[in-house]
Amino acid sequence: MVAIFLPGFRNVIGNAEVAVVNGTLLFLCLIYTFHSYRNHNVSGTLSSIVLLSLFLYFIIVSFSSVNGILYGVQVSLRDIFEFHKPALYILIFLSVHRILQYDVFFSDKIHRILKVTLVIVTIFSVIHIFSSGSILSVYTKDHNIDTKRLSAPFVNPYDFAFFLSFLASYFLALGVSKSKKYLLPFLLCLLLISLTQSRSVFFPFVGLIFPFLFFTVFLANYRRFLRLKVEKHLLSLVFILTCLAVSVFFYISANYEQYAYLISGLLNILESGSLGSAETRIEQFQLAVRFIKDSPATILFGLGPAKSVMEHLESMYSFYLFRYGLFGFFFGFLIPYICSVSALIRKICGEGIRAEEFPLNASILVFLMMVPFFSIGNNFNEQVRLSFFYMTLIACSVTFLKPKK
């Protein structure tokens, strides 16, 4: 709740809000980790691999910065500030892993937290749509408030859409596994995602959520599918979800003016072949390749934060390639990602998983499978607020809960 809803006072201090939010999280995680370190053992092979990978990423950030200086990059205070991020990731992972190890009722608690979170972000959205939004200026840009593109409590609409896509995945998983009443909060999340008008999240989400969820349900029931014993409620859900997908299409088509930015981007692609903002991402990627291709060292380690050269990198792939090279991509993203997906598949396919654990694990798996597609248009796991959220999901994935007594 601190990570998502703590005001960053953007209207007062601008981009320095990162120091407020991440600084508070760093302090809280440091206190908790220090308080519990004597009784904290990182258990499990995958958890240990992720932790080692994050430590190596921290070291790589240092090597990358040195390489950037040798390359001739002018180092600024903002570059030095970037060192706090890998340290924060490590502390988040240790804190969440510790909580999960000793809290067998975590699934029940996170369910209540996510329901409360949906209520709060809905209130933020209503304020955003129907008021001048002066309260929201402590969280987001004035441009987003003026254009009514939902973004608060996040800085950008695509950050908010990224977070909402997990909430939507969670409630859809609940609707599939527990009760169809959870399809209503899923629809609410889908509506909010559409009102962000984030092309880089909305289109991949509506295109991938259903096939990825069906894949996850198949993993959990593959023994029954192999015996051709498919429960009737699964077939009814296929029909319901298909109807929902069609309804979303007609809803957006009927409200064209509200979604002008979203639809215009799609029409430009279909009619003229123009990729719009995606062309900026492609140009940044090409520029990143041009910068680092001079030597093996820059390919492996990148040029460090180097914000004086390129400040805003709008794709995860450009971000890692330019700043921290192939090693940064492998240890900072790919290895923790693969470990998390592998652990979730193992949990979902296992016969010992509790029914109440399925929705959370299934929704994280569905969400993580969409992350590489979302990240083409943005670098979400490095964004303020989202870095805590993303690393929490990684820790949840690779930590196996103890059985309830």
Side-chain angles (χ1 to χ4, degrees):
M1 302 301 282
V2 170
I4 304 302
F5 298 115
L6 176 71
F9 303 103
R10 182 176 183 82
N11 58 336
V12 178
I13 60 178
N15 291 333
E17 68 172 323
V18 177
V20 174
V21 178
N22 281 4
T24 302
L25 293 171
L26 192 65
F27 174 76
L28 293 175
C29 290
L30 181 63
I31 292 298
Y32 181 79
T33 303
F34 180 77
H35 175 72
S36 61
Y37 81 98
R38 291 182 180 178
N39 301 318
H40 188 189
N41 294 315
V42 176
S43 60
T45 302
L46 292 176
S47 298
S48 300
I49 292 174
V50 170
L51 185 59
L52 177 61
S53 181
L54 293 175
F55 272 112
L56 290 174
Y57 178 58
F58 180 82
I59 296 172
I60 288 167
V61 170
S62 303
F63 273 106
S64 300
S65 300
V66 172
N67 186 60
I69 293 172
L70 295 175
Y71 186 85
V73 171
Q74 183 178 358
V75 178
S76 66
L77 183 62
R78 292 180 302 165
D79 293 342
I80 297 173
F81 185 72
E82 290 295 308
F83 278 85
H84 86 279
K85 289 183 178 178
L88 178 60
Y89 302 157
I90 293 169
L91 290 172
I92 292 169
F93 181 84
L94 288 173
S95 299
V96 177
H97 183 78
R98 171 73 164 80
I99 292 170
L100 289 172
Q101 277 190 315
Y102 292 93
D103 192 347
V104 296
F105 296 99
F106 176 80
S107 296
D108 303 327
K109 293 177 180 177
I110 198 67
H111 176 68
R112 293 195 294 270
I113 290 173
L114 291 177
K115 287 197 296 184
V116 171
T117 300
L118 178 59
V119 172
I120 297 176
V121 298
T122 302
I123 293 172
F124 270 88
S125 300
V126 171
I127 295 173
H128 202 141
I129 294 171
F130 295 106
S131 77
S132 60
S134 58
I135 298 175
L136 303 181
S137 61
V138 301
Y139 290 99
T140 191
K141 301 174 182 177
D142 290 336
H143 175 73
N144 298 327
I145 298 173
D146 295 337
T147 56
K148 301 296 183 182
R149 291 185 63 192
L150 299 188
S151 53
F154 296 88
V155 176
N156 298 305
Y158 32 82
D159 293 350
F160 191 27
F162 184 79
F163 178 70
L164 286 169
S165 64
F166 171 73
L167 289 182
S169 302
Y170 177 72
F171 288 110
L172 183 57
L174 283 171
V176 168
S177 61
K178 285 196 171 184
S179 171
K180 294 182 179 63
K181 69 180 182 181
Y182 289 109
L183 293 178
L184 291 176
F186 163 72
L187 286 175
L188 174 60
C189 291
L190 189 58
L191 174 64
L192 296 180
I193 293 172
S194 69
L195 290 172
T196 67
Q197 300 198 54
S198 170
R199 302 166 184 170
S200 60
V201 174
F202 179 78
F203 290 126
F205 180 80
V206 296
L208 298 172
I209 180 65
F210 297 124
F212 282 172
L213 181 66
F214 291 149
F215 171 73
T216 304
V217 172
F218 172 78
L219 288 179
N221 298 273
Y222 73 97
R223 294 181 181 86
R224 293 175 182 171
F225 281 106
L226 291 176
R227 295 194 298 265
L228 299 179
K229 292 183 179 180
V230 182
E231 297 182 12
K232 292 182 179 179
H233 83 277
L234 292 178
L235 296 176
S236 66
L237 279 169
V238 170
F239 174 76
I240 292 172
L241 295 177
T242 303
C243 291
L244 289 177
V246 174
S247 300
V248 169
F249 173 79
F250 282 109
Y251 167 77
I252 293 180
S253 300
N255 294 273
Y256 175 84
E257 293 184 359
Q258 180 67 40
Y259 297 99
Y261 178 82
L262 188 67
I263 296 177
S264 63
L266 180 61
L267 292 178
N268 285 336
I269 295 174
L270 296 177
E271 293 176 358
S272 64
S274 173
L275 297 177
S277 59
E279 292 180 352
T280 303
R281 272 80 166 176
I282 294 172
E283 291 172 2
Q284 283 190 344
F285 183 80
Q286 293 173 337
L287 187 59
V289 172
R290 199 176 307 137
F291 269 112
I292 70 163
K293 69 179 183 179
D294 293 341
S295 71
T298 54
I299 294 174
L300 295 178
F301 293 103
L303 296 174
K307 292 191 175 183
S308 61
V309 181
M310 275 203 292
E311 182 175 6
H312 300 295
L313 288 154
E314 298 185 18
S315 169
M316 178 191 72
Y317 305 103
S318 301
F319 174 89
Y320 280 111
L321 190 64
F322 174 75
R323 292 192 174 178
Y324 307 121
L326 292 178
F327 281 166
F329 176 71
F330 286 137
F331 293 106
F333 174 78
L334 191 60
I335 292 177
Y337 178 85
I338 291 175
C339 288
S340 300
V341 171
S342 302
L344 289 166
I345 292 175
R346 178 181 162 189
K347 289 180 184 180
I348 291 170
C349 289
E351 295 182 348
I353 188 172
R354 300 193 297 268
E356 62 267 29
E357 292 177 26
F358 175 78
L360 180 60
N361 287 308
S363 59
I364 296 176
L365 178 59
V366 169
F367 176 78
L368 287 181
M369 286 193 291
M370 291 188 285
V371 164
F373 299 92
F374 291 155
S375 297
I376 293 173
N378 219 283
N379 184 39
F380 296 104
N381 56 314
E382 287 278 338
Q383 297 293 335
V384 62
R385 304 186 193 279
L386 289 181
S387 57
F388 181 93
F389 163 69
Y390 182 78
M391 194 51 59
T392 297
L393 295 186
I394 296 294
C396 289
S397 302
V398 297
T399 305
F400 287 77
L401 301 183
K402 294 181 179 180
K404 293 182 182 178
K405 296 180 180 179

